[in-house]
Amino acid sequence: MRHFPIFVALEDRNVVVSGGGDAALAKLRLLLRTKAAITVYAPDPAPDIIDWADAGCLTLVPRRLRAGDVHGAVLFYAADEDAAEDARTAAIANREGALVNIVDNLNDSAFITPAIVDRDPVTVAIGTEGAAPVLARAIKAELEARLPSTLGLLARIGQSFRHLADALPLGRARRDFWSDYYFKTGPRAAHDGADALRPALDALLNDHLSRKPRDGHVSFVGAGPGAPDLLTLRARRLLDEADVVIHDRLVPQAILDLARREAVMIDAGKQGFGPAMSQTEINALIVAHVAKGAQVVRLKSGDPTVFGRLDEELDAVTTAGHSYDIVPGLTAASAAVAAIGQSLTRRGRNASVRFLTGHDMQGFADHDWAALSRPGEVAGVYMGRKAARFIQGRMLMHGAARATPVTLVENASRPDQRIIATTLARMADDVAKAAPHGPVLTLMGLAPRAAAATLSDTREPRQEAY
Ligand code: SAH
């Protein structure tokens, strides 16, 4: 983040604009929505600026900006649309201590003006650090359409009601009340006009004051393979409502960012090095938060039921007598196989598919190698990076063809996704060479679609259907 977004208090503070053309007009239209004391320096001001000055909305000084003009101003806009003049006025403003924006000159500006969605007092500012103004405008248009025009009204009336809502206990009860107001009762009442809002708020508060506190609950939620838009809608909603999120190391920040800002975020990631939280500690942590009445999201990468030690946590929760639910997620094998344009099962090739772990509590995991080595078998190996040579040795020993296709997908579904296509004979060496850092899903018996034809010599699919 090269620019840090903040909201600047401008009421009765001085803002100076140099320039009287289109660039100045664009900035002034935004500035006039604030309560700033605006002064414009322009020898040749546009008619709108003269009108605003006549109406007392701003002060117009019909000459070029001079040293001393920016003293005491918080913000300064160099908007003369002339590089030399902008540099001159910006130098003055810099010396006189204002934050300077030079219109259309990102590099020499101390701040930039975002695209703004105005539902005063709710303001959404959109910035792309100058990289994609078109994108900012598109996001703005989308938000303009999505945010009801009554939002400002709701917020203003809600604000004046805040101290009354303080009668509700801090935390969930109060949050539930406000979310009810902003997203259900409020918009409905606002439809009938501002006068309907206040009584609706009173009734809503009474209703919430008479409610019993919610019991604690834990949702075991699958976060999917990493791409935020591969989350389920239910996962998204639960993240939005959670009091506490206990997550694995593999869950990327972009997904954690979807949780409520006030939610307690706990990283239960079992790091390879350094202090790791033991399974017993994680179980105890979940139970402790649920017992306090929290809505807990236990966020696991992929699907929580696949190599996620779900049962141990479920046992702890049910033993303690708490309620839970499980929200499935997209498992890494699904994302990996999609990345290579193949399917996990195929008529005439394999009527079953196995998910294996490369290692278990004892070390490298043992499997039914004879079955896995049969032609046409497909398996997704989780946590298999270090076990590559072991798996390769076992399968060759059990008669698997050396040319059996093997594809490793690192960081499946993420921007840094990498596909490493190899064969059983070469897999251990190719994994060592590729030295992946991210999570890897190994697909045994599958080649990326484009290369499938050249590797299919030993695995001509049988034609009969099953
Ligand atoms: N519950 C998870 C698996 C947890 S075990 C799921 O259903 O996907 C952790 C292993 O999952 C990693 O070692 C790796 O093999 C695999 N994995 C998880 N996310 C992955 C991703 N984005 N790309 C490739 N493999 C991934």
Side-chain angles (χ1 to χ4, degrees):
M1 212 192 280
R2 279 175 57 223
H3 293 85
F4 182 65
I6 54 169
F7 289 87
V8 183
L10 284 187
E11 186 159 4
D12 296 331
R13 310 202 52 197
N14 294 327
V15 174
V16 175
V17 176
S18 175
D22 287 344
L25 277 172
K27 298 299 173 201
L28 285 168
R29 281 196 191 98
L30 286 175
L31 286 168
L32 283 169
R33 298 192 203 177
T34 72
K35 298 199 165 88
I38 305 166
T39 309
V40 179
Y41 290 86
D44 182 19
D48 277 355
I49 300 181
I50 298 172
D51 290 348
W52 287 324
D54 288 345
C57 306
L58 51 77
T59 307
L60 174 61
V61 185
R63 61 160 168 81
R64 292 171 75 201
L65 184 101
R66 296 200 283 256
D69 287 342
V70 192
H71 271 308
V74 236
L75 303 181
F76 173 74
Y77 284 90
D80 282 283
E81 298 166 77
D82 173 299
E85 179 64 357
D86 284 345
R88 184 188 73 82
T89 63
I92 294 174
N94 275 321
R95 268 198 308 276
E96 297 179 3
L99 266 182
V100 172
N101 173 270
I102 305 178
V103 175
D104 288 335
N105 180 349
L106 181 71
N107 282 337
D108 296 328
S109 291
F111 74 96
I112 50 183
T113 317
I116 293 169
V117 180
D118 182 2
R119 296 285 185 281
D120 184 47
V122 178
T123 316
V124 185
I126 305 148
T128 60
E129 311 211 326
V134 175
L135 182 61
R137 274 197 293 277
I139 297 171
K140 174 178 151 77
E142 204 165 298
L143 288 175
E144 291 283 7
R146 178 120 45 102
L147 297 180
S149 54
T150 52
L151 194 69
L153 176 69
L154 284 175
R156 263 195 308 280
I157 295 199
Q159 201 169 25
S160 68
F161 200 78
R162 270 196 104 85
H163 59 284
L164 289 176
D166 287 354
L168 287 163
L170 196 68
R172 172 152 293 276
R174 211 178 283 179
R175 269 201 319 274
D176 283 351
F177 166 76
W178 284 115
S179 103
D180 220 345
Y181 168 65
Y182 279 114
F183 299 107
K184 283 193 221 137
T185 317
R188 268 202 304 267
H191 215 70
D192 301 332
D195 292 346
L197 262 180
R198 193 60 204 221
L201 259 175
D202 285 329
L204 187 67
L205 181 59
N206 281 333
D207 174 29
H208 277 255
L209 280 170
S210 62
R211 285 186 190 179
K212 284 208 300 293
R214 269 213 248 177
D215 286 334
H217 180 86
V218 57
S219 299
F220 294 94
V221 176
D229 55 354
L230 288 178
L231 268 181
T232 62
L233 293 175
R234 193 180 302 176
R236 172 102 214 228
R237 176 174 58 76
L238 288 167
L239 274 174
D240 213 40
E241 293 172 358
D243 299 310
V244 179
V245 177
I246 303 173
H247 63 90
D248 284 342
R249 183 176 50 91
L250 275 183
V251 180
Q253 191 60 41
I255 289 181
L256 299 178
D257 286 344
L258 296 172
R260 281 191 322 111
R261 201 159 57 146
E262 300 80 14
V264 178
M265 307 296 290
I266 302 171
D267 182 357
K270 300 179 204 74
Q271 301 280 355
F273 315 96
M277 213 179 270
S278 74
Q279 190 59 50
T280 322
E281 282 171 311
I282 297 174
N283 299 348
L285 193 70
I286 298 172
V287 170
H289 283 287
V290 181
K292 277 195 280 185
Q295 306 300 304
V296 177
V297 164
R298 172 66 175 115
L299 192 61
K300 290 170 178 291
S301 77
D303 184 276
T305 72
V306 179
F307 304 125
R309 303 184 72 170
L310 176 64
D311 298 77
E312 297 160 56
E313 296 175 13
L314 273 178
D315 286 344
V317 170
T318 49
T319 304
H322 298 300
S323 67
Y324 71 88
D325 67 327
I326 300 172
V327 180
L330 206 71
T331 194
S334 299
V337 80
I340 65 165
Q342 292 289 8
S343 69
L344 283 172
T345 60
R346 178 167 153 186
R347 271 181 5 141
R349 183 190 63 203
N350 63 312
S352 67
V353 59
R354 289 182 173 81
F355 290 164
L356 319 175
T357 171
H359 59 83
D360 57 21
M361 311 276 266
Q362 274 78 46
F364 294 143
D366 230 331
H367 297 286
D368 182 351
W369 300 112
L372 283 165
S373 302
R374 282 198 295 261
E377 287 299 314
V378 171
V381 186
Y382 291 72
M383 297 172 280
R385 193 176 33 187
K386 292 208 185 80
R389 200 167 294 281
F390 173 78
I391 294 170
Q392 178 188 45
R394 285 294 189 276
M395 285 184 60
L396 289 175
M397 209 164 79
H398 285 82
R402 294 175 60 78
T404 303
V406 174
T407 308
L408 292 97
V409 183
E410 182 187 11
N411 294 315
S413 88
R414 303 179 187 198
D416 46 0
Q417 170 176 292
R418 186 158 64 129
I419 293 168
I420 303 149
T422 177
T423 59
L424 185 60
R426 293 199 325 257
M427 77 180 265
D429 289 341
D430 282 354
V431 172
K433 220 179 318 155
H437 295 298
V440 173
L441 198 289
T442 308
L443 293 164
M444 307 296 297
L446 290 178
R449 178 159 296 274
T454 55
L455 287 169
S456 65
D457 46 343
T458 58
R459 331 203 118 210
E460 224 27 77
R462 284 166 290 146
Q463 288 309 311
E464 77 269 26
Y466 54 81

